[in-house]
Amino acid sequence: GAAMAHGHGPGRCRCCGEEAAERGAAWGLYLRIDRQRLQCLNERREGSGATVFRPWEERGDRSKFVESDDDEELLFNIPFTGSVKLKGVLVMGEDDGTHPAELRLFRNIPHMSFDDTAKEPEQTFSLSRDPLGELEYPTKAARFSNVCHLSMHFPKNFGAETTKILYIGLKGEWTEAHRHEVTICNYEASANPADHKLEQITPQTHFIS
C-alpha cells in the first residue's frame, strides 16, 4: 500500500489541491443567487440570512451566521439568475440544540411565507448535526431539474429556542435562462387571471427551446 501514499511534503500536492478546488466549484451555486431578491424570513438580524450562502472554502467562518428570531423556524426564498439543476444541499450549524433538525425544499414558489409552508414540499430531509460541514444531502434530481426559485424551510431544531445556521451549500448545474423561460417560471408561480390574458396574447411564451 506504500505506493498509494503521496511521497512529498505538505503543500506541494497538486492533485489534492485540485480535488479541493473541484469540490469547491461543485458548491458554486451561491454565485447564481439573485442576491437583490434573496429573502430570509424570521432572521434576527436583517441581511444575515444572505451571509450563509458563500464560498465552500469559507464555510468555516463562524462570524457569519443566521439566527432565527421569534421561534425556531427559518424560511429562505432563493431566486436564481437562471435555471438550476439542484443535486445536493449541505447545512452546517453548531453542535448543539440550535442546529436545524429538518429541511423542507420547495421549488418555483416565489415569495413563500410561513403560511405557504403548509404545502407539500418536493423533498424533506431529516438533518444530522453537522458542525464541520461534511454531510451532503442528495436531492431527487428529477424534481429539481428546472429550478429558478428554491425555498428552504427549517421547521425545527434539536431543542433550542432559536435556530442557528452557519453555512448552506447548494450543489448543481446552472444554465442561463432564456427570456421566455423566466416568463414561464413566473406564470407557474402565480395564479393571477391577468397573467393568463397576457399568455393568450403572447403564445410564443409556451415554447421552450
Side-chain angles (χ1 to χ4, degrees):
M4 296 294 289
H6 288 309
H8 50 63
R12 290 217 314 276
C13 171
R14 260 189 69 237
C15 44
C16 296
E18 276 175 17
E19 196 177 297
E22 259 178 43
R23 179 125 205 233
W27 295 96
L29 279 184
Y30 72 94
L31 291 166
R32 307 302 188 179
I33 294 172
D34 180 352
R35 294 203 172 248
Q36 300 298 310
R37 290 163 51 227
L38 175 67
Q39 286 179 318
C40 178
L41 305 188
N42 200 33
E43 58 183 5
R44 177 169 292 183
R45 204 175 75 249
E46 195 179 337
S48 57
T51 67
V52 303
F53 300 98
R54 57 180 186 269
W56 165 256
E57 298 76 30
E58 293 171 26
R59 67 193 184 286
D61 179 356
R62 296 186 119 69
S63 68
K64 293 179 179 159
F65 62 87
V66 62
E67 189 171 1
S68 62
D69 192 13
D70 295 330
D71 53 30
E72 73 274 32
E73 281 191 272
L74 280 168
L75 175 62
F76 291 88
N77 281 316
I78 307 160
F80 294 106
T81 56
S83 174
V84 165
K85 183 184 287 182
L86 185 68
K87 295 181 171 178
V89 293
L90 185 149
V91 180
M92 181 176 160
E94 300 285 8
D95 198 5
D96 60 21
T98 65
H99 194 295
E102 188 178 293
L103 164 60
R104 304 166 75 236
L105 293 182
F106 299 85
R107 65 181 274 272
N108 298 346
I109 311 176
H111 313 298
M112 272 190 84
S113 67
F114 283 109
D115 291 342
D116 297 326
T117 60
K119 294 178 183 176
E120 189 67 31
E122 298 288 340
Q123 195 167 357
T124 302
F125 299 97
S126 288
L127 302 177
S128 302
R129 288 187 189 140
D130 189 10
L132 298 174
E134 297 173 321
L135 303 174
E136 180 183 333
Y137 299 90
T139 55
K140 295 173 181 162
R143 292 193 180 181
F144 295 97
S145 62
N146 186 12
V147 180
C148 43
H149 186 285
L150 178 71
S151 298
M152 307 181 81
H153 177 221
F154 296 93
K156 56 180 189 246
N157 60 22
F158 286 97
E161 282 184 19
T162 58
T163 296
K164 190 172 172 183
I165 296 173
L166 297 168
Y167 168 84
I168 293 177
L170 301 174
K171 184 182 199 173
E173 296 164 17
W174 175 86
T175 45
E176 206 167 332
H178 303 295
R179 277 250 97 117
H180 54 270
E181 284 185 6
V182 174
T183 319
I184 283 180
C185 187
N186 292 337
Y187 282 143
E188 279 180 2
S190 60
N192 184 339
D195 288 351
H196 294 294
K197 283 188 200 130
L198 199 68
E199 269 179 294
Q200 287 154 19
I201 302 162
T202 51
Q204 72 272 21
T205 54
H206 289 309
F207 301 112
I208 296 188
S209 52

